Amino acid sequence: MFDLMQINPGLWVVIAGVICALIPKTGATGFLRKILVLGAPILAGALIYQMYFGQDIGSDGVIGGKLLFGGIELTTLRIDRLSLVWGFLFCLAGVINAIYGLHEKCRITDSSALVYTGAAIAGVLAGDMITLFIFWELTAISSVFLIWKGGEHAYAAGLRYLAIHVLSGVMLLAGAVMFARANGGDFTFGYIGLDAPGGLLLLLAMGIKCGFPMLHMWMQDAYPKASITGTVILASFTTKFAIYALARAFPGTDILIWIGCIMTCFPVFFAVVENDLRRVLAYSLNNQLGFMVAGIGIGTTMAMNGVVGQVFVHVIFKGLLFMSIGAVMYRTGTAKASELGGLFRSMPFTAVLCLIGAGSIAAFPLLAAFVTKSMILAAAVEEHLYIPFLMMLFASAGVMEHSGIKVPHFTFFAHDSGRRVKEAPWNMLVAMSLAAILCIVLAWPWGGYQMLYALMPYETDYKPYTVDHVVFQMQLLFAAIFAFTLLKRFKLYPAERRAEILDADWLYRKVGLNIALWGSAMWTRLGANITRLRDATLGKAGKRLYQTFSPAGGLSQSTPSGLPAALIAGVLVLVLVLEYITP
């Protein structure tokens, strides 16, 4: 019998996305498409709530959707304390993104956004690695269209994005097969660890998707080239999907502490000199992901709670920042810091909302990250990881500089660019306002942050609003503000220039290309030399054989006609003797 409660809720969002692709983009049917884009994530969230809270569940949560595929038992639905948070979060992000994109008339954007959202929801609710792989790849395939809608310069970036994410999926599948073969064919997605067969491949596959150092550049390459709405949607799902997979498979893996700390630090230097503000936010995304990766590496209950909380608020405040810069780009046609400034006069509401997002990512008291990031830092101190703590402390000051100050300063204040434009469209303001309200409510000291803590996988009695924590955080933030002001006052802050900042992708796209071209030339030259040598050698040997054995050759002229028959008979006798004596 058909049971709705056995179907992964994300699948309904994917189906809605496919239907969207078939609905024309104009008239009443266009309105119907927007209802689907907005309603499908709400339906998925309601189903997740009903599945988890509306029935008696076991200690392992909701397990369902079992089916056989090629002799492998798949568990296509699992909702437990970990996946529940990501499921609700992705549904919430889908709704906010849908409101932000209500002005879009593009059928491809609406369809891709829904399929992408649904694949991310379905992926975090998957109970086995085959189902995980299917939706892992579907997120890549569906999201690339959001990049290609960015214009003529986006096509190559989209191809690179697709290639690296397909590579990630292939590595994920290979690692899953190796792991399952060593475990009796069991593809259940749970703790794996680095020492397990296929563990390294799985870690690298997830590392590509969440931007490990030297594997991160696809974000800075693709996100700024996507469409305005597409960039907001892209920032919500892919990397957080990968963080979920890491949290599920590799908690307490020590190497992740150092990988995460490096991720928090290196983007600070790139973001300071970057002119494209969407690229600045992409580097900031790397920075914030580093805190999550480091927390997973620490692996204690406090650290894991901090990771879950940081993921939840990060999707909201990072989306708010991308939405505010997207609104500016929608009205001005650019996101270059060198071409903006003074926009608070004509876009005051967007400016205020951007400042809330900036304060949230910088972890100002009473704003989102203040109640989550500190849990990861406290966990590092509890485990006596003082060097990682100092690295993350430096990165916290850095994110205040580039996302908390630089983005709103050069967009809305700084020099006056002379642009006088309209305020953002109403739907963009509504979406940004919802995100801003959540940034405040989820950090509110009188009952707000407890709602967020109630979603965490482990019970916690952590109190973020202590005198020591508030004073220490304010000292750190004001020190960053003072440093920025001082550098600007004495003209030591890097000027905003129209320039392309080289990143690690230069090694792949330039040096790597030259190495490939050199290798191809050497291979061609080697092949030509081998051919020349073969022709010369075989030519001389063939000529000598022809002179000896041809009808006009010397052997034919001087040898009796019966000798060849005698030689053949002798060889036959030799073969028969060898066959007889060989055991």
Side-chain angles (χ1 to χ4, degrees):
M1 182 178 176
F2 178 78
D3 186 357
L4 185 66
M5 294 299 166
Q6 291 292 309
I7 298 177
N8 191 316
L11 190 59
W12 298 115
V13 184
V14 173
I15 293 172
V18 174
I19 295 172
C20 266
L22 305 176
I23 298 176
K25 63 180 181 179
T26 57
T29 53
F31 179 72
L32 175 62
R33 193 176 70 251
K34 291 301 182 182
I35 291 177
L36 269 179
V37 173
L38 185 59
I42 296 175
L43 173 64
L47 288 173
I48 293 171
Y49 181 88
Q50 180 62 27
M51 288 175 179
Y52 193 82
F53 295 105
Q55 56 184 332
D56 294 330
I57 58 174
S59 58
D60 294 330
V62 177
I63 304 293
K66 291 185 177 293
L67 56 90
L68 285 176
F69 177 78
I72 302 171
E73 184 180 58
L74 304 182
T75 306
T76 60
L77 175 64
R78 176 185 57 197
I79 308 176
D80 58 11
R81 293 291 298 175
L82 189 64
S83 61
L84 178 70
V85 180
W86 267 267
F88 279 147
L89 174 62
F90 285 171
C91 292
L92 174 63
V95 172
I96 294 176
N97 292 341
I99 296 172
Y100 187 78
L102 282 176
H103 65 283
E104 285 270 4
K105 300 296 189 292
C106 179
R107 180 168 49 179
I108 293 176
T109 297
D110 290 341
S111 176
S112 299
L114 265 188
V115 174
Y116 181 32
T117 304
I121 295 170
V124 298
L125 300 182
D128 66 88
M129 287 187 278
I130 299 298
T131 306
L132 177 74
F133 162 75
I134 292 170
F135 291 112
W136 191 271
E137 293 289 63
L138 186 57
T139 56
I141 295 169
S142 58
S143 59
V144 74
F145 294 100
L146 300 171
I147 299 171
W148 284 336
K149 288 299 294 180
E152 58 178 337
H153 300 295
Y155 182 71
L159 287 179
R160 292 190 292 269
Y161 171 92
L162 186 60
I164 197 166
H165 283 279
V166 169
L167 172 64
S168 170
V170 170
M171 295 172 69
L172 180 76
L173 182 60
V177 170
M178 292 171 63
F179 180 80
R181 285 191 62 184
N183 290 274
D186 185 7
F187 281 89
T188 300
F189 183 44
Y191 176 78
I192 294 171
L194 198 55
D195 295 329
L200 180 59
L201 270 177
L202 289 166
L203 183 68
L204 287 174
M206 298 168 190
I208 288 174
K209 226 172 178 71
C210 72
F212 280 6
M214 303 300 291
L215 302 173
H216 67 279
M217 54 282 169
W218 57 266
M219 279 182 266
Q220 288 73 34
D221 182 29
Y223 283 14
K225 295 184 177 69
S227 67
I228 292 172
T229 304
T231 301
V232 175
I233 299 169
L234 286 167
S236 300
F237 301 116
T238 297
T239 52
K240 267 60 73 179
F241 186 6
I243 291 294
Y244 165 80
L246 279 177
R248 175 74 69 181
F250 295 99
T253 302
D254 290 342
I255 193 173
L256 291 179
I257 300 173
W258 300 103
I259 291 174
C261 288
I262 294 171
M263 288 174 66
T264 64
C265 291
F266 82 84
V268 172
F269 302 100
F270 284 98
V272 167
V273 297
E274 179 57 57
N275 186 38
D276 188 328
L277 293 178
R278 294 205 294 177
R279 287 197 79 184
V280 172
L281 291 178
Y283 280 118
S284 175
L285 180 56
N286 279 126
N287 167 279
Q288 295 296 293
L289 292 169
F291 285 96
M292 304 169 201
V293 172
I296 293 169
I298 296 170
T300 62
T301 56
M302 178 180 287
M304 294 303 292
N305 280 340
V307 170
V308 172
Q310 184 68 6
V311 168
F312 199 97
V313 297
H314 176 263
V315 169
I316 296 168
F317 62 64
K318 181 61 70 175
L320 175 55
L321 287 169
F322 270 114
M323 284 189 284
S324 60
I325 297 302
V328 168
M329 190 174 179
Y330 182 78
R331 289 305 191 196
T332 66
T334 183
K336 305 291 186 183
S338 57
E339 301 173 19
L340 297 173
L343 287 176
F344 75 94
R345 295 178 175 86
S346 50
M347 301 183 73
F349 295 111
T350 303
V352 170
L353 294 170
C354 181
L355 286 171
I356 293 174
S360 297
I361 196 172
F364 263 96
L366 303 179
L367 293 174
F370 179 79
V371 300
T372 56
K373 187 188 295 183
S374 57
M375 298 179 77
I376 300 173
L377 295 172
V381 173
E382 283 188 355
E383 296 301 306
H384 308 292
L385 299 168
Y386 299 117
I387 294 178
F389 170 77
L390 291 175
M391 293 175 71
M392 288 188 283
L393 199 62
F394 164 77
S396 297
V399 77
M400 172 62 192
E401 189 282 327
H402 59 70
S403 290
I405 302 175
K406 177 175 180 174
V407 170
H409 175 73
F410 285 105
T411 305
F412 299 101
F413 307 102
H415 60 278
D416 188 354
S417 63
R419 296 176 183 269
R420 298 296 180 263
V421 296
K422 294 181 180 179
E423 181 58 272
W426 68 269
N427 61 294
M428 289 185 173
L429 289 175
V430 169
M432 289 188 286
S433 297
L434 286 175
I437 290 169
L438 286 171
C439 286
I440 297 170
V441 169
L442 293 176
W444 198 245
W446 297 282
Y449 72 86
Q450 286 90 342
M451 294 189 297
L452 179 61
Y453 286 6
L455 288 174
M456 293 179 176
Y458 305 103
E459 291 187 6
T460 179
D461 58 356
Y462 180 74
K463 298 291 190 293
Y465 286 99
T466 63
V467 174
D468 290 344
H469 181 211
V470 172
V471 171
F472 178 80
Q473 187 66 13
M474 292 302 295
Q475 288 175 334
L476 179 68
L477 295 174
F478 279 113
I481 294 171
F482 176 76
F484 178 84
T485 305
L486 196 66
L487 291 172
K488 289 291 293 182
R489 174 67 180 80
F490 291 99
K491 302 185 185 303
L492 297 175
Y493 193 85
E496 305 307 308
R497 296 194 180 112
R498 300 179 184 178
E500 184 75 16
I501 305 300
L502 297 181
D503 200 345
D505 59 340
W506 183 82
L507 297 173
Y508 299 94
R509 294 165 56 187
K510 299 297 182 182
V511 177
L513 177 61
N514 290 332
I515 291 173
L517 292 174
W518 177 84
S520 176
M522 291 299 101
W523 181 259
T524 301
R525 183 179 298 180
L526 177 63
N529 289 334
I530 291 174
T531 301
R532 190 180 304 112
L533 179 63
R534 181 199 64 195
D535 293 343
T537 303
L538 294 180
K540 291 179 180 179
K543 185 177 181 180
R544 182 62 60 85
L545 289 172
Y546 180 81
Q547 291 173 349
T548 304
F549 294 103
S550 70
L555 191 61
S556 299
Q557 295 175 5
S558 61
T559 303
S561 61
L563 182 59
L567 290 174
I568 293 172
V571 172
L572 178 60
V573 170
L574 179 63
V575 170
L576 291 173
V577 170
L578 290 174
E579 178 66 24
Y580 179 76
I581 66 175
T582 301

